[in-house]
Amino acid sequence: MIKVLVVDDSVFMRKLLTDLFAGETDFTVVDTARNGKDAIDKVKRFKPDLITMDVEMPVMDGIKALELIMKEAPTPVVMISSLTQAGAVATLRALEIGAVDFVAKTAGPISNITAIRTEILTKCRAAVRANVLQLATGRATAGALPAMPKMHSQPGLALDERIVAIGTSTGGPRALQEIITKIPGNIPCGIVIVQHMPPGFTKSLAERLDSLSSVTVKEAEHNDVIRPGYVFIAPGDYHMLIEREGGKTVIKLNQNPPIGGHRPAVDPLMESVARTYGSKAIGVILTGMGRDGAKGIEAIKRQNGYTIAEDQSTAVVYGMPKAAIELGVVDKIVPITGVTAEILKVLS
């Protein structure tokens, strides 16, 4: 049984979540808490396997409580809050501190939890298997990185230009911060990323990474031109593909049906990268649950591109990297601290 502590200042919300878990055979709610301070006391008393945490609460908010819990008693936490959808910045902060994942409530009455019931249960089951100590301790700084040669290519014009495609899900925001913030501004290629996130959150993620990085990071827009020194993150609820058009390489967005429950999905991006760049493509698969990205990495490998997977030792959830590795199509398996160095070594 997965022992759950439900933390929310709303009596109604605590009841909804408690009933949700009570209807499952593998969950048991050990108690509820009405604010962050109450939560910290009950974490020490009940030692839950999992915590669902609201963001905005009286006495002590969810962000401060999460910070203290990860320092004193690291426990898997899934953020579930009426603020999460509008407060994407707060959600990203929670993920940076150590929350495993989050669920954004749908628009409308707070009681509309039935619309996200499956998502809550799926993410909570994945969270209890997460590498929570990795989230609590953070990541060490990697050693010196290879120097980049001077760029000569024009935006989207050089047909021999390289590209890096990255796919990730649960634990991805922290992993991406570890990688992207170490990339030099003169990297001689563009980078495209699919991070499983709903609308609104991908824009906040791009803005956060842009503020911390030497490269330019933005949420991708339809017909954006791939260019060196730019990182494009697929917007929530849109698949992102790469195509040649008029001598340039451009981004194409669509709302085709979700793949494996995901939109954006990693596989279609990487498959389009394999078609467009062939052996010049570098595919990277990071932490996340499920198998999204394995077929895409395989497509890049079939075109003699270079493929990298995050090592189990640092992956918050080892599903996506494991699926790609099991296909036998990964050239290099490295901890997250070594991913940037491996990318730059191949490029240089």
Side-chain angles (χ1 to χ4, degrees):
M1 295 289 284
I2 300 168
K3 299 184 295 182
V4 186
L5 176 66
V6 173
V7 185
D8 201 293
D9 65 331
S10 164
V11 175
F12 186 49
M13 194 65 194
R14 293 199 298 271
K15 178 69 163 58
L16 282 173
L17 286 169
T18 298
D19 290 347
L20 172 65
F21 290 120
E24 302 298 311
T25 58
D26 55 339
F27 288 97
T28 180
V29 176
V30 293
D31 208 342
T32 62
R34 63 188 183 277
N35 57 56
K37 185 176 183 301
D38 191 22
I40 291 170
D41 293 340
K42 289 181 176 179
V43 165
K44 294 175 182 176
R45 188 190 316 170
F46 294 102
K47 295 180 172 55
D49 303 313
L50 172 74
I51 302 167
T52 65
M53 181 79 74
D54 192 10
V55 174
E56 188 176 68
M57 295 179 289
V59 184
M60 181 186 292
D61 65 27
I63 300 296
K64 181 62 177 175
L66 173 65
E67 194 169 16
L68 292 173
I69 288 168
M70 296 309 290
K71 286 180 181 177
E72 299 174 7
T75 306
V77 176
V78 174
M79 307 302 291
I80 304 176
S81 170
S82 57
L83 268 186
T84 312
Q85 187 74 50
V89 173
T91 301
L92 290 174
R93 177 62 183 149
L95 295 174
E96 287 177 6
I97 293 170
V100 177
D101 212 334
F102 71 97
V103 175
K105 289 178 185 168
T106 54
I110 195 171
S111 59
N112 192 21
I113 199 170
T114 54
I116 52 173
R117 177 182 182 278
T118 300
E119 183 182 1
I120 292 172
L121 294 172
T122 299
K123 290 186 173 182
C124 285
R125 288 185 176 110
V128 295
R129 300 192 302 270
N131 187 347
V132 71
L133 292 180
Q134 177 68 19
L135 287 168
T137 57
R139 298 182 168 99
T141 302
L145 298 174
M148 283 288 93
K150 289 184 178 180
M151 295 184 298
H152 299 291
S153 59
Q154 296 298 315
L157 293 177
L159 293 179
D160 62 345
E161 191 177 284
R162 307 295 296 264
I163 192 169
V164 178
I166 300 174
T168 187
S169 185
T170 310
R174 278 175 56 133
L176 291 173
Q177 183 168 319
E178 171 70 26
I179 294 169
I180 302 302
T181 58
K182 291 180 179 178
I183 292 176
N186 70 333
I187 186 171
C189 71
I191 299 173
V192 288
I193 297 171
V194 163
Q195 160 73 59
H196 294 160
M197 272 187 168
F201 295 91
T202 45
K203 183 174 178 62
S204 293
L205 175 63
E207 290 172 348
R208 173 65 174 161
L209 290 174
D210 185 65
S211 71
L212 297 172
S213 307
S214 298
V215 288
T216 299
V217 186
K218 72 184 295 285
E219 185 182 56
E221 298 177 70
H222 195 63
N223 289 328
D224 269 343
V225 178
I226 302 295
R227 62 190 68 198
Y230 275 70
V231 178
F232 300 92
I233 298 179
D237 205 32
Y238 284 86
H239 292 306
M240 179 169 75
L241 285 75
I242 306 301
E243 294 180 5
R244 293 288 187 193
E245 188 174 88
K248 296 183 178 181
T249 314
V250 297
I251 287 171
K252 297 295 183 181
L253 303 178
N254 69 64
Q255 287 191 305
N256 290 343
I259 298 173
H262 302 297
R263 189 172 63 198
V266 180
D267 280 333
L269 170 65
M270 290 196 171
E271 288 166 352
S272 72
V273 163
R275 288 193 301 270
T276 306
Y277 283 86
S279 63
K280 299 293 185 179
I282 299 172
V284 183
I285 196 76
L286 305 176
T287 172
M289 60 181 174
R291 301 185 57 84
D292 190 23
K295 290 182 179 178
I297 285 284
E298 184 178 34
I300 289 174
K301 185 61 181 172
R302 280 202 307 266
Q303 295 295 325
N304 295 316
Y306 193 80
T307 56
I308 302 168
E310 182 179 357
D311 187 75
Q312 183 176 6
S313 64
T314 61
V316 174
V317 177
Y318 191 49
M320 287 166 58
K322 181 182 179 182
I325 291 166
E326 287 178 342
L327 286 179
V329 293
V330 173
D331 291 306
K332 193 78 171 181
I333 303 168
V334 291
I336 196 65
T337 49
V339 172
T340 303
E342 186 65 22
I343 290 170
L344 299 183
K345 183 173 74 173
V346 174
L347 291 172
S348 61

